[in-house]
Amino acid sequence: MSLRISTAPHMHNPLTTQRLMQFVFIALLPTAAWGVYAFGFSALLVLLLSMASAVAAEFVWQKIAKQPVRVGDFSALVTGLILGLNLPATAPWWMVIIGSAFAIIIVKQLFGGLGDNFLNPALAARAVLLASWPVHMTASACVNPTFFQAGVDAVSTATPLGAPGTFTLTQLFLGQCPGAIGEVSKAAILLGFLFLLLTGVISWRIPVITVCSVYVCTMLIGGADWQGALAAVLSGGVLFGSVFMATDYVTSPITPWGQVIYAVLIGLIITLIRLFGSYPEGVTYGILLMNIATPLIDRLPRTIYGVKKEAKKA
Amino acid sequence: MLTKTFKRGIHPLHSSHEGKGPTRDLETREYVSDTVVISMAMNIGAPAKPCVKKGDHVDIGQVIGEAQGFMSVPVHASVSGEVIAVDQVPSLGAGNMTAVTIKNDFAETWVELHPLGRVENVDPAKVIPAIQAAGITGMGGASFPTHVKLTFKPGATCDTIVVNGAECETHLTADYRLMLEHSVRIVDGLRAVMRALNVKKGIIGIEDNKPEAIEAMRKAAQGREGVSVQPLKTKYPQGGEKQLIEAITGRQVPSGGLPIDCHVVVLNVGTCAAIADAVIDGKPLISRICTVTGCVRQPSNLLVRIGTITEDIIGACGGYSETPGKVVFGGMMTGICIPNDQMAIMKSTNGVVVLNEKQARSKNESPCIHCGRCVQACPIGLNPYQIKVAADKSDFESAKKLHVMDCILCGSCAYQCPSRRWLTPSFKFCKDHITAEAKAKAAAEAAKGGANK
């Protein structure tokens, strides 16, 4: 009789990386669905194309690099979907493909693949697209003009950040405003957030603190009243970014206190860029900058059982 | 119920009573096998030296292996009968080891015993020698000679004895049954130790998923001065020595130190019962309760003789219910795999868990996604993912700086890891390597010092 031998432990929590990615994918569906409903068929095409090209880029790269093909772990699919949700429904097809390929090959694979990228791939790709084709990225069309009675121009209007005060808080919350496909409906994003919390995929810390930080910073630095600060939170990609992108495991700090520092600073940077920068929106750069700071934050000392705080050398 | 606990930790199999369901309500039954194979390496430290030869007749409790120095305990015959072999058998993790095989004549004749009498009248100076003579080692799994633990280095003081009845390991219910069926014995053993060391406080820690055991132990402790029961939160590794001390006393064992450095001694409930047997009845440690569960037809709690072969134990539990893939001595979180079912029960074997082929299949590692579940799990407060990076590069210096030596190998991080990374095995490798390196360095320096003279 032959028995297998191994070192302990002999069992595992059933939760796997693949399952985690599937949960994130499911959590993104409500906001994706709203995006397709609000912006129409072209939004669906953008999402499908970004997912397909992200998975294809990962597959092709791993084949070329003679690496084990890990497309089955769903991470490329999630990256593709997040990137798609970050784009306007009017994004041309070639831009979507370039974005996906950049995210997967340049940001993720060239730095070592899953787990080793120092920036959130979808977000880095968005930043590149924004710098390269700002007109395509900020044009925010809508095919369903009934939602946007308050808007100046039903077909092509500035985002709420470009024209503050154009939309009511309710419109901003429900997603009756222009913007990137996935960022408009805060209600749908909160639904996804709730799902991620209940399944234990993420903790409340990063999203809640980031949002609070934006709120407080807008009040303190921008001098906004509570309504203005709330509008700032509900405008643009704050909610989408803090729930789905700032919480990316790979590029956010691991320790609870590290996450607090990270989230507070993201909120601060977003607000500073919005108030004083030349861009109307700062979510992308706020998160990317803190992604870069993450390895540093993870080095903060922790309390270890039985280890006295190391006495300072005189 | 006011429960105490430690920081972080995990809840394996929480929805299914930590896997204890099949055996927790089964009364312990005795099983005596035909032959026993008793290893001479029952404890950490020097193995015993056999003092019987083939053909000898032995009685139960007769010394068959003599202790070799202070870090060693004698080994006793667990059945009466004829010695049919004194030879080398495979041992767990230490190559081959001398073992004595005895054919049971079922006469159940005992050697003459020398009890010390009732706990309240016992001569304190005689307790610890009696514990060594009875061959008692830590019964929770570590096999550390108990008399060594109870003999302090000069200047060390102890104010609390903590008795470990947490049984946080999944699947095992041996300690639980012991607490229900022999609660008075456990308290007696604890009192004997308190008397021997002149310690006034003894606290029995039990997880709150065992309310019946808490009740039984409270009853047994009633009227016994200084003895109390502390309910603990059901959380793994609540029964880890350091976590137990933190939960019960609020103190922490200093890094690299022993419990006695924070004035505490921890004893397993099984060890306490064995001490009571040794002191009150003069009986050496020849049997123990062992949970047999997993893929066996009749999961049971068996009172088995030390040296019983695993195959016989499985047979006593109706045999395998599926093709076995792995057989584990101990629980699922820290147990040791045995290479075949001819291995014999040791003094520290608190369970035999059989896994089927599917459960036994090893999982492939996938890349770390920095999800932080290992960090949230680690009861020590380490960053397991960072240590693993160092370990994978064989960068032992960095691993040491990240406090790998403080890792207790509880397996919590590896259990939680969604990428199935072999965290705990890596850390064990690191710790073993660093320890061996330090030893070699010390030996080399000693040799150099000798040459200089």
Side-chain angles (χ1 to χ4, degrees):
Chain A
M1 119 172 238
S2 73
L3 295 172
R4 284 173 188 271
I5 54 170
S6 73
T7 39
H10 306 292
M11 61 175 184
H12 287 98
N13 190 324
L15 197 65
T16 60
T17 302
Q18 189 190 29
R19 181 65 62 83
L20 286 170
M21 295 293 172
Q22 288 166 348
F23 281 154
V24 176
F25 187 80
I26 294 170
L28 286 164
L29 289 181
T31 187
W34 177 268
V36 172
Y37 175 59
F39 300 109
F41 189 63
S42 59
L44 183 66
L45 283 184
V46 168
L47 295 183
L48 290 178
L49 185 60
S50 66
M51 284 191 281
S53 50
V55 173
E58 174 133 312
F59 181 83
V60 169
W61 175 266
Q62 288 177 334
K63 278 285 173 204
I64 293 172
K66 297 197 170 60
Q67 288 170 355
V69 174
R70 292 190 189 277
V71 171
D73 66 15
F74 276 72
S75 69
L77 193 73
V78 168
T79 300
L81 181 55
I82 292 185
L83 176 65
L85 292 170
N86 265 300
L87 300 175
T90 47
W93 63 269
W94 49 266
M95 199 175 86
V96 178
I97 294 177
I98 291 175
S100 283
F102 187 86
I104 295 294
I105 294 176
I106 309 282
V107 186
K108 186 177 168 190
Q109 294 298 343
L110 283 187
F111 284 94
L114 179 63
D116 287 325
N117 46 292
F118 72 104
L119 292 174
N120 181 319
L123 209 49
R126 181 190 146 98
V128 165
L129 297 182
L130 192 64
S132 310
W133 299 284
V135 178
H136 284 305
M137 284 299 285
T138 44
S140 181
C142 51
V143 193
N144 203 340
T146 51
F147 287 148
F148 307 119
Q149 288 135 353
V152 214
D153 178 355
V155 180
S156 178
T157 123
T159 63
L161 287 163
T166 325
F167 300 93
T168 66
L169 289 177
T170 321
Q171 283 173 325
L172 289 175
F173 182 74
L174 293 178
Q176 293 168 334
C177 57
I181 300 169
E183 72 182 16
V184 288
S185 174
K186 314 307 172 300
I189 293 168
L190 286 180
L191 206 63
F193 176 51
L194 203 66
F195 178 77
L196 290 180
L197 277 189
L198 291 178
T199 48
V201 175
I202 59 170
S203 90
W204 58 272
R205 255 180 238 108
I206 293 176
V208 172
I209 296 175
T210 305
V211 167
C212 290
S213 173
V214 170
Y215 185 87
V216 172
C217 289
T218 310
M219 274 182 150
L220 293 184
I221 305 172
D225 60 357
W226 71 269
Q227 272 176 318
L230 200 58
V233 164
L234 292 177
S235 301
V238 171
L239 226 55
F240 185 79
S242 55
V243 170
F244 293 111
M245 294 192 291
T247 54
D248 174 21
Y249 287 147
V250 180
T251 52
S252 64
I254 277 185
T255 58
W257 279 109
Q259 293 178 349
V260 173
I261 297 169
Y262 169 86
V264 167
L265 290 179
I266 287 179
L268 179 68
I269 296 174
I270 291 175
T271 316
L272 288 179
I273 293 179
R274 279 182 171 183
L275 292 174
F276 307 112
S278 53
Y279 283 109
E281 178 59 306
V283 174
T284 308
Y285 294 113
I287 297 175
L288 284 177
L289 282 171
M290 289 316 292
N291 282 172
I292 297 171
T294 292
L296 207 63
I297 296 175
D298 272 337
R299 292 180 73 106
L300 292 176
R302 302 183 60 210
T303 324
I304 297 174
Y305 182 106
V307 178
K308 295 233 169 67
K309 287 211 178 85
E310 271 142 53
K312 275 181 193 157
K313 277 170 200 162
Chain B
M1 202 169 354
L2 194 69
T3 58
K4 292 186 172 179
T5 192
F6 61 98
K7 281 191 200 125
R8 294 175 289 272
I10 59 171
H11 296 97
L13 301 180
H14 194 57
S15 53
S16 54
H17 302 288
E18 288 77 36
K20 295 172 194 278
T23 54
R24 59 173 294 150
D25 297 326
L26 302 176
E27 206 165 311
T28 310
R29 60 189 169 96
E30 184 163 22
Y31 168 68
V32 186
S33 64
D34 220 26
T35 45
V36 291
V37 180
I38 304 173
S39 167
M40 291 295 115
M42 285 280 181
N43 56 276
I44 288 179
K49 193 173 149 206
C51 56
V52 288
K53 56 185 188 305
K54 196 179 164 183
D56 285 359
H57 178 272
V58 293
D59 291 321
I60 301 178
Q62 186 176 330
V63 174
I64 56 173
E66 284 164 345
Q68 298 298 300
F70 182 63
M71 261 304 267
S72 180
V73 293
V75 178
H76 304 81
S78 59
V79 297
S80 60
E82 189 193 332
V83 175
I84 54 173
V86 179
D87 54 5
Q88 299 282 310
V89 298
S91 77
L92 281 180
N96 284 350
M97 194 42 71
T98 314
V100 174
T101 309
I102 307 170
K103 174 118 184 71
N104 193 350
D105 64 5
F106 291 97
E108 296 286 300
T109 48
W110 278 79
V111 289
E112 198 190 328
L113 302 174
H114 305 283
L116 296 182
R118 292 171 62 86
V119 174
E120 37 285 345
N121 311 324
V122 79
D123 176 359
K126 284 188 177 160
V127 172
I128 292 173
I131 290 172
Q132 181 178 18
I136 298 174
T137 60
M139 302 207 19
S143 312
F144 193 81
T146 301
H147 69 277
V148 179
K149 203 185 234 184
L150 298 179
T151 310
F152 308 144
K153 59 187 180 219
T157 55
C158 170
D159 59 19
T160 311
I161 311 272
V162 170
V163 177
N164 189 350
E167 200 163 50
C168 60
E169 258 285 9
T170 63
H171 297 84
L172 304 185
T173 55
D175 287 352
Y176 172 70
R177 292 313 307 181
L178 186 78
M179 287 188 279
L180 284 191
E181 296 167 23
H182 301 280
S183 26
V184 176
R185 281 267 130 169
I186 297 169
V187 173
D188 281 348
L190 168 62
R191 288 168 62 222
V193 173
M194 286 164 68
R195 193 171 158 82
L197 300 177
N198 193 22
V199 173
K200 300 289 174 234
K201 209 153 85 182
I203 306 173
I204 304 160
I206 306 171
E207 279 189 350
D208 61 359
N209 62 350
K210 297 179 261 293
E212 302 87 344
I214 293 172
E215 191 53 38
M217 292 309 297
R218 276 201 169 137
K219 218 176 252 173
Q222 215 154 50
R224 300 303 187 191
E225 206 184 322
V227 180
S228 62
V229 174
Q230 175 60 55
L232 304 165
K233 204 182 241 174
T234 304
K235 192 166 77 173
Y236 182 87
Q238 184 66 75
E241 199 168 61
K242 290 180 171 179
Q243 283 61 48
L244 194 66
I245 292 172
E246 185 181 28
I248 289 184
T249 65
R251 302 174 200 168
Q252 292 192 341
V253 181
S255 171
L258 293 169
I260 190 64
D261 296 328
C262 62
H263 318 295
V264 179
V265 164
V266 181
L267 295 172
N268 177 265
V269 284
T271 316
C272 282
I275 291 171
D277 288 342
V279 171
I280 300 170
D281 300 331
K283 280 186 181 172
L285 176 54
I286 56 134
S287 62
R288 67 157 300 134
I289 301 179
C290 182
T291 304
V292 188
T293 187
C295 300
V296 291
R297 288 216 173 81
Q298 259 177 23
S300 318
N301 274 302
L302 293 185
L303 177 65
V304 291
R305 301 292 164 89
I306 307 299
T308 310
I309 306 288
T310 308
E311 189 183 19
D312 295 338
I313 288 178
I314 303 287
C317 295
Y320 297 111
S321 61
E322 287 175 68
T323 313
K326 248 188 209 178
V327 178
V328 179
F329 271 10
M332 295 284 264
M333 292 303 296
T334 55
I336 302 167
C337 284
I338 55 172
N340 58 60
D341 58 9
Q342 298 307 304
M343 302 296 290
I345 293 292
M346 314 278 285
K347 287 173 182 173
S348 59
T349 311
N350 45 10
V352 177
V353 185
V354 182
L355 278 68
N356 64 22
E357 275 288 336
K358 199 177 151 223
Q359 293 163 325
R361 217 167 288 152
S362 64
K363 315 281 193 299
N364 284 332
E365 280 187 317
S366 63
C368 170
I369 54 168
H370 297 226
C371 68
R373 283 179 170 70
C374 54
V375 173
Q376 288 156 22
C378 181
I380 301 295
L382 304 176
N383 288 351
Y385 73 105
Q386 286 179 344
I387 307 178
K388 173 79 163 118
V389 172
D392 282 351
K393 291 188 285 198
S394 296
D395 182 355
F396 299 109
E397 246 346 278
S398 300
K400 218 164 136 184
K401 275 187 200 138
L402 292 164
H403 292 276
V404 70
M405 296 311 280
D406 287 297
C407 169
I408 57 167
L409 301 176
C410 66
S412 300
C413 53
Y415 173 85
Q416 286 293 60
C417 181
S419 296
R420 300 285 181 262
R421 296 183 68 74
W422 300 338
L423 297 160
T424 313
S426 284
F427 304 158
K428 181 166 167 41
F429 176 73
C430 267
K431 289 184 70 167
D432 290 350
H433 182 94
I434 292 169
T435 312
E437 219 171 37
K439 252 187 202 161
K441 203 175 159 194
E445 246 153 48
K448 207 169 136 197
N452 285 346
K453 277 173 201 165

